[in-house]
C-alpha cells in the first residue's frame, strides 16, 4: 500500500487536476504554428555575439469562460489590456524581447494613446481621393506606427492572441516551456486577469443554452493554479512577477504576500481596481514599494517607474544566480 503524507497527497491531487484540465481542454488549432514561432523567436533573441539576452512573456487582458461548446455565451471580465500593452513598450525600451500573450481585441502596444477607433478617427480622404492622416492625430499615429514597426522589423515583439481560459493556459504552457532554455534571463510578467472558475469542457453543453422559466443552475469549478507549475516545472529559473487585483484595499497587501510565498514568485504587483492606473505596490520578500504615476506629467503612466524597478530587480536576480 502507498502511504502518502498530507502534502504529497495534496500535491498529487493538484497534479491530477492540472493534467485533467489540459487533457480535457479543446486542443489549440494552431498549436504547431505557435510552437514554431516561439522557437524561432527565442532562438533569435536568446544570444547576440555570445552575450545572453533577456526575453519577457507579458500576459495581458482577461480570459473568457465559455458556457457552451458551440459558444454563444461566456463569462468575461473588465481587463482592458492597458497594463500589459503599456508595460510591453517600456520593456522593449529596456532592451527585452517581448512575447505578448494578449486577449484578442484588447489594447495593443503603441496604440494606447490613439483614439478607440483609430482607422475612422485618425484618417480623412482629401479632394484627390487620397487617404491622409488628420493633422491633429499625425504625431500620435507616426509614433505608434514607427515604434511598432521598429519593434516588429527587428523581431523583438511576438504577439500571440487568446480568448478563452483554455487557450490562455495552453499558450502560457507552450511559451513557458520554450523559454526554459533562457534560464534566469527569462521573465514572466503576468498581468492578465485569469478566470478563477470555469466550466470543464467535458461537462459543458454542446448547444446554446435554452431559455426556460425559473432559476438556472450552473456548476463552475476552480481553475487549477498554474503559477506553481510555472515556477517549479515549466521555467524554474525564470524571474516571475504576478499581479494581484482587489477591490477591498484592506485585504490587498495580505493577499499579495500570500501569493508571493505560496507560488514562490519573485515579485507580486498589488493593485486596486479604481486606482490601478495611479499607484501599485511592488511586493517582494524583503520590501513593499509604493510606485506612483508622476502626476506632474500629463502623459505619465505608472508602468514607467514600475518597469524600471523590475528591470533592476531582474538584473540583481541574474547576477546572484
Ligand atoms: O488590463 P487593465 O489595464 O485594465 O487592468 C490591469 C489589471 C488590473 C488586470 C492587472 O494589473 C492585474 O492586476 N492583473 C491580475 C488580476 C488578478 O488578480 O487576477
Amino acid at each position: 500500500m502507498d502511504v502518502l503524507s498530507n502534502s504529497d497527497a495534496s500535491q498529487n491531487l493538484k497534479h491530477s487536476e492540472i493534467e485533467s484540465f489540459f487533457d480535457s481542454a479543446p486542443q489549440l488549432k494552431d498549436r504547431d504554428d505557435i510552437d514554431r514561432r516561439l522557437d524561432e523567436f527565442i532562438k533569435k533573441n536568446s544570444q547576440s555575439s555570445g552575450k545572453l539576452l533577456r526575453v519577457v512573456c507579458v500576459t495581458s487582458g482577461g480570459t473568457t469562460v465559455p458556457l457552451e461548446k458551440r459558444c454563444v455565451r461566456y463569462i468575461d471580465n473588465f481587463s482592458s489590456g492597458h497594463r500589459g500593452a503599456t508595460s510591453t513598450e517600456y520593456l522593449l525600451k529596456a532592451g527585452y524581447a517581448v512575447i505578448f500573450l494578449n486577449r484578442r481585441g484588447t489594447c495593443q502596444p503603441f496604440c494606447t494613446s490613439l483614439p478607440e477607433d483609430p482607422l475612422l478617427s485618425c484618417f480623412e480622404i482629401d479632394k484627390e481621393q487620397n487617404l491622409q492622416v488628420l493633422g491633429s492625430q499625425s504625431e500620435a499615429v507616426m509614433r505608434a506606427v514607427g515604434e511598432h514597426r521598429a519593434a516588429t522589423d527587428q523581431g523583438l515583439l511576438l504577439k500571440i492572441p487568446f480568448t478563452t481560459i483554455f487557450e490562455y493556459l495552453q499558450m502560457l504552457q507552450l511559451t513557458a516551456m520554450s523559454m526554459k532554455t533562457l534560464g534566469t534571463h527569462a521573465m514572466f510578467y503576468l498581468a492578465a486577469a485569469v478566470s478563477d472558475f470555469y466550466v470543464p469542457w467535458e461537462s459543458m453543453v454542446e448547444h446554446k443554452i435554452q431559455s426556460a422559466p425559473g432559476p438556472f443552475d450552473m456548476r463552475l469549478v476552480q481553475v487549477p493554479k498554474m503559477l506553481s507549475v510555472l515556477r517549479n516545472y515549466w521555467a524554474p529559473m525564470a524571474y516571475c512577477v504576478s499581479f494581484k487585483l482587489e477591490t477591498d484595499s484592506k485585504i490587498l497587501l495580505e493577499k499579495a504576500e500570500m501569493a508571493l510565498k505560496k507560488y514562490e514568485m519573485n515579485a507580486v504587483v498589488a493593485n486596486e481596481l479604481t486606482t490601478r492606473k495611479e499607484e501599485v505596490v511592488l511586493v517582494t520578500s524583503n520590501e513593499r514599494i509604493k510606485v506612483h504615476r508622476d502626476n506632474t506629467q500629463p502623459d505619465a503612466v505608472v508602468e514607467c517607474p514600475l518597469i524600471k524597478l523590475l528591470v533592476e530587480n531582474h538584473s540583481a536576480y541574474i547576477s546572484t544566480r
Side-chain angles (χ1 to χ4, degrees):
M1 189 177 82
D2 283 337
V3 181
L4 293 175
S5 70
N6 279 348
S7 90
D8 282 344
S10 81
Q11 256 334 81
N12 284 351
L13 186 65
K14 279 180 201 147
H15 280 294
S16 69
E17 277 169 19
I18 290 165
E19 269 167 25
S20 92
F21 178 90
F22 283 118
D23 288 347
S24 65
Q27 289 297 299
L28 294 174
K29 286 189 198 79
D30 46 356
R31 188 184 175 95
D32 292 345
D33 185 50
I34 297 175
D35 226 3
R36 183 189 51 75
R37 286 162 66 214
L38 280 166
D39 264 6
E40 280 173 7
F41 187 82
I42 286 160
K43 269 195 199 106
K44 181 193 169 298
N45 288 300
S46 53
Q47 289 198 26
S48 163
S49 334
K51 196 174 159 252
L52 294 176
L53 302 177
R54 299 188 195 181
V55 180
V56 57
C57 167
V58 173
T59 70
S60 183
T63 58
T64 66
V65 171
L67 301 184
E68 301 121 341
K69 284 186 181 159
R70 301 191 192 199
C71 183
V72 174
R73 301 188 185 97
Y74 53 86
I75 302 173
D76 204 353
N77 72 63
F78 75 97
S79 172
S80 65
H82 188 275
R83 172 89 73 225
T86 312
S87 304
T88 295
E89 296 178 25
Y90 284 98
L91 284 158
L92 284 165
K93 275 194 197 125
Y96 284 71
V98 183
I99 300 169
F100 183 60
L101 199 53
N102 66 102
R103 164 74 183 275
R104 230 174 237 104
T106 54
C107 281
Q108 295 295 304
F110 307 112
C111 296
T112 49
S113 48
L114 296 179
E116 244 174 47
D117 51 354
L119 192 63
L120 301 177
S121 322
C122 298
F123 296 91
E124 62 182 349
I125 297 168
D126 68 12
K127 288 192 201 94
E128 284 82 39
Q129 295 295 300
N130 296 317
L131 191 65
Q132 298 277 3
V133 183
L134 271 173
S136 58
Q137 296 293 345
S138 67
E139 206 181 303
V141 172
M142 293 277 285
R143 177 185 162 277
V145 175
E147 293 186 5
H148 179 261
R149 173 76 40 204
T152 46
D153 284 356
Q154 292 172 62
L156 292 171
L157 177 62
L158 174 64
K159 293 188 191 181
I160 304 180
F162 65 82
T163 303
T164 68
I165 180 72
F166 301 111
E167 290 172 342
Y168 171 78
L169 288 177
Q170 292 182 76
M171 286 172 179
L172 181 65
Q173 182 188 33
L174 282 182
T175 309
M177 286 168 55
S178 55
M179 285 173 71
K180 193 171 186 171
T181 52
L182 298 165
T184 55
H185 284 63
M187 190 204 278
F188 287 85
Y189 182 87
L190 304 165
V194 182
S195 323
D196 284 324
F197 297 96
Y198 78 121
V199 184
W201 191 254
E202 64 277 11
S203 59
M204 201 184 290
V205 295
E206 176 80 23
H207 292 284
K208 183 182 169 213
I209 298 166
Q210 295 298 305
S211 166
F216 176 71
D217 287 331
M218 178 170 275
R219 197 175 154 78
L220 300 178
V221 305
Q222 194 178 21
V223 173
K225 299 288 178 200
M226 299 289 175
L227 289 185
S228 334
V229 195
L230 172 74
R231 159 54 73 223
N232 292 309
Y233 300 100
W234 295 346
M237 299 297 286
Y239 186 79
C240 292
V241 183
S242 70
F243 279 70
K244 177 55 72 185
L245 173 84
E246 291 296 341
T247 52
D248 179 354
S249 58
K250 290 193 229 68
I251 61 168
L252 177 62
L253 292 178
E254 187 194 321
K255 294 284 237 169
E257 296 273 2
M258 271 168 59
L260 185 80
K261 291 198 188 100
K262 186 166 177 194
Y263 304 118
E264 299 170 72
M265 294 287 103
N266 298 95
V268 175
V269 179
N271 56 171
E272 223 190 297
L273 184 65
T274 51
T275 56
R276 70 188 192 279
K277 291 196 175 172
E278 300 300 317
E279 161 187 310
V280 298
V281 180
L282 185 65
V283 180
T284 64
S285 57
N286 43 21
E287 54 193 351
R288 289 175 175 184
I289 307 174
K290 268 199 180 167
V291 184
H292 296 273
R293 184 178 87 81
D294 175 359
N295 22 3
T296 61
Q297 307 284 325
D299 295 334
V301 287
V302 69
E303 286 78 8
C304 172
L306 174 64
I307 296 298
K308 188 166 176 282
L309 260 175
L310 285 171
V311 170
E312 285 165 10
N313 287 4
H314 188 198
S315 302
Y317 175 76
I318 292 172
S319 60
T320 54
R321 290 287 165 136

